[in-house]
Amino acid sequence: MAFEGLADRLQSTMQKIRGKGKVNEADVKEMMREVRLALLEADVNFKVVKDFVKRVSERSVGQEVLKSLTPGQQVIKVVKEELTELMGGEQSKIAVASKPPTVIMMVGLQGAGKTTTTGKLANLLRKKYNRKPLLVAADIYRPAAIKQLETLGKQLSMPVEIAKQAIEKAKEEHHDYVLIDTAGRLHVDENLMGELKDIKELTKPDEIFLVVDAMTGQDAVNVAQSFNEQLGLTGVVLTKLDGDTRGGAALSIRSVTDTPIKFVGMGEKLDALEAFHPERMASRILGMGDVLTLIEKAQANVDEEKAKELEKKMRTATFTFDDFLDQLGQVRNMGPLDDILKMIPGANKMKGMDNLQIDEKQIGHVEAIIRSMTTHEKEHPETMNASRKKRIAKGSGRSIQEVNRLLKQFEEMKKMMKQVTNMQKGKKKGFKFPFM
C-alpha cells in the first residue's frame, strides 16, 4: 500500500508527542526533523517538504498550542490539517457541464494505465453516479489501445466512437459524459502535445485529466508539470496507489502544479477507482483510520438484505458455513483485508497490528475447505467424523489439521455469537454485568 513507510515513520513520531502534558519549542523542532526525513524518504518534492515543515512549525509553537491542556494532541491536529491542505484541502469533484454532455479528455504517457483508467472512470460514473458515459478511442497510433477500449466498453456495455463524431452522437443519444482516451507516448514531445492541443480545440473539454503512475515518484510530478503548462490540466488521476510506492507524488502534485488529484487507482479490477479525499488520506497516513471510505466500500459491496438475514441467523445461532463463505466473499470485494483493517480508527494501536499481514492465500485455503463440504456438513459441522474430514482435506488439497483448525475456529465463533446474544437479552431484562 502507498504511504506505508511514510505512515509508519509519521505515526511513530506522533506517538512520542501525543501524550505529553507539556510541549516546548525543542520538542517541536525534534519532531519536525523526523517529519522532514519521513517526507523526503517518501520521495516528496524538496521544496514542498520545506514549506510544509515551516508551516507546521510556525503553527505548533504558537501560544494556543503550547499553552493548551493537550499540546501533544494539538500538534498532531496541526500536522493533519496541513497534510490535508498539502493534498488539496477538500475533495475536488468532477465537473458537470451546464448543457450535456460533459466532455472529459484523458491524457498521459504510455504505461501509466490511461486506457484502463478511462474504462474505470466510465464504470464509476455509471454505477455510483447513475450516469450514461460514452467512451471515445482517439489513440490511432496504438492499435491495441482501440481494441482495449472496445473490450472495456463491451464489459461495461458502452459504445466506443471516434472523437470527431463523438460529441454529436452523445447529444443525439443523451449521454451525460464523453470520455476521450487520447494517444500517449513514452515521453513528452512536440508532436504529442500538438495533437492533444488539436483535440482540445476540437472538443472543448470541460475536464482534462492527466493519468500518472504513482510508482514513478518525482517523475510523475515532472510529467504533471509539463502537461499542465501545455494543456492547462483540471485534474490528476494517480494509478497504482495500492502498489509498493512511497506516495511522494500524491503529496507533491497539488503543490507543484496547483492541479487537484481527482481520483486514485487502488487495484486492477474495473471498480478499483476511488474519488480522492485529502482529509481521509491524511487520516490514514497518520493512523487515524478512514471510517467514511470504509462505510462507502461496505455500502457498495455488502448486500443489505443478506446482512439483515445474517443478523437474524447470528441471533438465533443458525449461522452456517455457507453464510460464512458468503460474508467472506462480500468482505473480500471491499479490497485487501489489511488495508480495510487500517481504515478502522485506533486499529494501528492494537497489539500486533503494526506487524499484521493478512495472507490472502490462507483465505483461499479456507474457501477451498468449505467448498469441499456437502450441504449437510456445512449446515451441521458437528456431524464431522474422521472419514468426512479426510475426504474434505483431499478434495480441498489441504491437510486434515487445517480442516480441524477451521472447524474449531467456527465453533468458537458460534459460541461467541451466542454469548453476545445472551448479553443483549440480559441487558433488555435489566441485568447488569459487573464490567458494563
Side-chain angles (χ1 to χ4, degrees):
M1 169 71 189
F3 302 113
E4 201 75 59
L6 174 63
D8 290 345
R9 284 287 297 268
L10 286 182
Q11 287 169 35
S12 174
T13 303
M14 299 299 115
Q15 199 62 39
K16 292 174 186 174
I17 204 168
R18 189 182 298 274
K20 282 202 169 192
K22 286 185 178 181
V23 175
N24 55 39
E25 289 192 31
D27 292 327
V28 173
K29 191 174 181 180
E30 175 61 26
M31 189 185 85
M32 285 302 100
R33 180 181 167 278
E34 292 293 321
V35 169
R36 184 186 293 108
L37 288 171
L39 292 171
L40 290 172
E41 281 181 9
D43 205 19
V44 180
N45 179 278
F46 176 75
K47 187 178 183 302
V48 172
V49 174
K50 186 180 176 183
D51 292 344
F52 177 81
V53 169
K54 184 184 176 186
R55 286 196 306 274
V56 174
S57 297
E58 286 174 353
R59 288 186 61 188
S60 297
V61 296
Q63 291 300 306
E64 61 181 275
V65 171
L66 298 186
K67 298 286 185 183
S68 69
L69 293 173
T70 55
Q73 295 283 7
Q74 289 296 318
V75 172
I76 293 168
K77 182 172 178 283
V78 169
V79 172
K80 188 198 169 192
E81 288 173 355
E82 289 297 336
L83 201 54
T84 301
E85 195 59 36
L86 185 66
M87 292 185 286
E90 57 184 31
Q91 181 196 3
S92 179
K93 294 185 179 179
I94 198 165
V96 180
S98 56
K99 190 175 180 183
T102 298
V103 179
I104 301 175
M105 187 173 159
M106 308 290 286
V107 301
L109 298 182
Q110 280 181 18
K114 180 166 48 62
T115 300
T116 302
T117 299
T118 303
K120 286 181 179 180
L121 180 56
N123 189 47
L124 185 72
L125 289 168
R126 185 183 61 129
K127 287 180 73 176
K128 187 172 181 180
Y129 302 103
N130 199 28
R131 297 288 184 253
K132 186 183 176 186
L134 175 75
L135 292 172
V136 182
D139 185 354
I140 59 171
Y141 303 102
R142 189 167 68 92
I146 297 175
K147 193 68 183 172
Q148 185 183 354
L149 201 63
E150 283 176 348
T151 302
L152 289 167
K154 285 174 184 174
Q155 286 178 357
L156 302 170
S157 302
M158 296 175 193
V160 177
E161 291 293 329
I162 301 299
K164 201 170 182 179
Q165 304 160 356
I167 312 297
E168 288 307 314
K169 183 178 177 69
K171 289 175 184 175
E172 288 170 14
E173 299 187 359
H174 307 291
H175 289 275
D176 305 295
Y177 284 86
V178 175
L179 308 183
I180 304 172
D181 178 32
T182 64
R185 298 282 194 283
L186 292 173
H187 53 83
V188 178
D189 62 26
E190 285 185 28
N191 291 336
L192 171 65
M193 285 304 170
E195 184 180 319
L196 295 179
K197 285 176 184 175
D198 289 343
I199 293 175
K200 178 184 176 182
E201 181 64 30
L202 178 73
T203 60
K204 304 282 190 297
D206 301 281
E207 296 264 29
I208 302 178
F209 288 170
L210 172 70
V211 180
V212 286
D213 184 343
M215 294 183 75
T216 57
Q218 279 305 299
D219 281 344
V221 181
N222 297 334
V223 168
Q225 265 187 302
S226 297
F227 273 86
N228 191 41
E229 287 165 6
Q230 299 278 345
L231 298 171
L233 301 174
T234 63
V236 172
V237 183
L238 283 175
T239 64
K240 303 177 189 174
L241 205 64
D242 59 316
D244 183 19
T245 170
R246 291 177 286 177
L251 293 175
S252 305
I253 279 180
R254 174 66 195 227
S255 294
V256 174
T257 67
D258 198 31
T259 304
I261 300 168
K262 297 269 190 173
F263 297 95
V264 288
M266 302 298 287
E268 295 296 322
K269 292 182 181 178
L270 209 52
D271 58 357
L273 187 74
E274 299 176 6
F276 184 72
H277 297 267
E279 186 179 4
R280 297 186 195 181
M281 188 59 77
S283 290
R284 284 163 77 171
I285 291 170
L286 295 175
M288 297 175 183
D290 183 0
V291 174
L292 290 174
T293 299
L294 188 59
I295 290 169
E296 286 174 4
K297 281 180 176 286
Q299 286 174 336
N301 293 285
V302 176
D303 188 302
E304 195 174 341
E305 288 303 314
K306 284 185 178 180
K308 288 178 182 175
E309 188 183 327
L310 178 68
E311 186 186 3
K312 183 180 176 183
K313 287 189 173 188
M314 289 169 82
R315 283 201 310 267
T316 56
T318 56
F319 186 76
T320 69
F321 267 117
D322 268 329
D323 298 318
F324 179 68
L325 200 61
D326 187 53
Q327 285 302 299
L328 199 59
Q330 291 193 54
V331 172
R332 287 184 81 181
N333 284 338
M334 291 168 65
L337 295 180
D338 46 356
D339 286 349
I340 291 168
L341 284 173
K342 286 169 188 172
M343 291 181 193
I344 302 169
N348 64 309
K349 299 186 195 77
M350 290 167 60
K351 192 175 179 182
M353 269 297 291
D354 52 344
N355 296 317
L356 179 65
Q357 281 190 323
I358 297 174
D359 187 352
E360 295 281 344
K361 286 183 182 177
Q362 290 297 326
I363 298 169
H365 297 165
V366 168
E367 288 181 336
I369 292 171
I370 296 172
R371 293 187 194 282
S372 296
M373 298 177 186
T374 64
T375 302
H376 179 78
E377 288 165 349
K378 289 175 190 172
E379 293 175 356
H380 304 281
E382 70 278 1
T383 63
M384 294 280 191
N385 54 28
S387 62
R388 286 177 184 267
K389 291 175 185 176
K390 188 176 179 181
R391 191 201 77 249
I392 292 166
K394 188 176 181 181
S396 62
R398 310 314 306 164
S399 67
I400 291 176
Q401 288 87 343
E402 285 178 88
V403 175
N404 282 330
R405 193 183 309 129
L406 178 60
L407 290 168
K408 186 180 177 182
Q409 288 171 341
F410 188 73
E411 281 307 307
E412 286 174 354
M413 186 169 64
K414 287 185 77 171
K415 283 179 189 175
M416 184 185 72
M417 288 176 188
K418 197 171 182 180
Q419 285 174 354
V420 170
T421 303
N422 289 339
M423 284 168 68
Q424 288 174 335
K425 286 178 182 175
K427 277 178 148 183
K428 285 177 184 175
K429 290 176 185 175
F431 177 78
K432 299 288 183 185
F433 288 90
F435 52 88
M436 299 185 81

